[in-house]
Amino acid sequence: MVKLTKEVAVAKFLFVTDLDNTFVGDDNALAELKELLQNHRKQYGTKIVYATGRSPVLYKELKEEKNLLEPDGLVLAVGTEIYLNGDDTPDPEWSKHLSSGWNRDLIVSVTDNFPALVPQPDSEQRPFKVSFFLQDEEARKIIPQLESEFKKCGLIIKLIYSSGIDLDIVPPHSDKGQAVQFLRQKWNFVPERSVVCGDSGNDIALFAAGKERGIIVGNARRELLQWHNENPVDYHYLAQSFCAGGILEGLKYFGFL
């Protein structure tokens, strides 16, 4: 594993975390982590980013419920929307990047032919994301069929399946990882002073996109653990503790806190 030097611990870093079952899930550890991050941001200028599959509506519900810190950046809807500095309008540069070749109506017309796909609530259907519930036992059969049908229609898209239930269809160059790379470069953070945290399949992109330090929390789901085992690198850390406790463990291991 790559550890950071003590000098880095007193310098700003880019902190990126998934929310459900990663940042959120252990209230006591979350309270400690929030205080440490807020103090580090005030003192050194650390940037805090939430990267979640949640829509703006569901994010706001969780933010109020858990009294989350105001982030410097928000990556919502599985990386298809970026919000900066509390703005309610998605970053236009990122939206423009995603729009090339995206045909939402055609995607929906293809998925209409698959009754196993159960549309998620309207709040989760976003301009650059079409989302369904798909049972785990059906997914192995349905996903390859979907990919084949999209290819026949000339659609180049990305399918993200996570937590044994959530299927998101997004532009090919869109996911949490690509969105974080966009922000990291925008804010001039090197990978060695950036850290990403996650627990499930839609977080694989966070760990795979670059060489940021990665913290996989102790309660990580099977699909992420399998990916981690198949792609071992010394800058990813598999924590023992769950949720925010695992993040604290990893931040201390790498020397960020």
Side-chain angles (χ1 to χ4, degrees):
M1 296 286 184
V2 173
K3 289 192 178 184
L4 301 184
T5 64
K6 287 300 180 183
E7 287 75 16
V8 177
V10 293
K12 68 179 180 180
F13 64 95
L14 174 61
F15 172 79
V16 181
T17 184
D18 173 51
L19 290 176
D20 295 282
N21 301 309
T22 302
F23 197 60
V24 171
D26 179 337
D27 288 346
N28 290 333
L30 177 59
E32 180 183 353
L33 179 56
K34 286 195 300 184
E35 183 177 1
L36 287 169
L37 286 172
Q38 180 74 319
N39 290 340
H40 209 277
R41 177 163 63 177
K42 285 181 178 178
Q43 192 167 0
Y44 303 112
T46 284
K47 296 277 192 184
I48 298 170
V49 174
Y50 302 142
T52 175
R54 285 178 177 248
S55 65
V57 170
L58 292 185
Y59 163 69
K60 287 174 184 175
E61 289 179 2
L62 185 66
K63 183 175 184 289
E64 291 178 10
E65 178 189 347
K66 296 298 183 180
N67 190 29
L68 299 180
L69 297 172
E70 190 67 43
D72 300 284
L74 263 178
V75 175
L76 297 183
V78 201
T80 62
E81 298 170 28
I82 293 176
Y83 299 83
L84 298 174
N85 303 315
D87 199 340
D88 288 333
T89 304
D91 181 78
E93 186 180 350
W94 183 245
S95 297
K96 182 179 180 181
H97 174 67
L98 300 187
S99 62
S100 177
W102 176 251
N103 189 331
R104 197 180 194 286
D105 291 340
L106 183 54
I107 289 169
V108 171
S109 71
V110 171
T111 60
D112 284 343
N113 298 317
F114 291 84
L117 298 176
V118 178
Q120 292 187 16
D122 288 346
S123 67
E124 304 313 291
Q125 309 300 337
R126 306 297 299 168
F128 295 106
K129 180 172 80 79
V130 183
S131 295
F132 299 92
F133 296 120
L134 177 62
Q135 296 299 322
D136 201 9
E137 59 271 17
E138 298 267 21
R140 290 185 183 182
K141 177 179 69 174
I142 297 296
I143 289 176
Q145 293 175 358
L146 265 176
E147 289 174 334
S148 177
E149 289 302 311
F150 286 138
K151 190 173 182 179
K152 288 178 186 176
C153 295
L155 288 167
I156 302 174
I157 51 84
K158 181 179 292 184
L159 297 176
I160 302 174
Y161 187 65
S162 63
S163 302
I165 190 67
D166 296 315
L167 177 66
D168 298 306
I169 304 171
V170 300
H173 29 279
S174 166
D175 56 41
K176 289 182 179 182
Q178 295 304 314
V180 167
Q181 295 302 310
F182 173 82
L183 289 177
R184 183 179 65 72
Q185 292 163 21
K186 188 182 189 74
W187 290 333
N188 295 314
F189 282 93
V190 296
E192 294 78 13
R193 298 212 179 168
S194 307
V195 62
V196 296
C197 314
D199 78 295
S200 72
N202 68 27
D203 298 317
I204 290 173
L206 286 176
F207 300 101
K211 293 188 176 181
E212 291 73 29
R213 297 338 185 199
I215 300 170
I216 298 171
V217 292
N219 54 295
R221 294 186 62 89
R222 179 185 62 199
E223 65 265 21
L224 179 55
L225 292 174
Q226 181 178 338
W227 178 88
H228 174 65
N229 290 334
E230 293 172 354
N231 298 274
V233 291
D234 63 1
Y235 48 85
H236 291 164
Y237 177 74
L238 183 58
Q240 297 298 309
S241 302
F242 287 11
C243 304
I247 296 176
L248 283 165
E249 183 185 322
L251 291 176
K252 291 171 183 175
Y253 174 85
F254 285 124
F256 282 112
L257 293 177

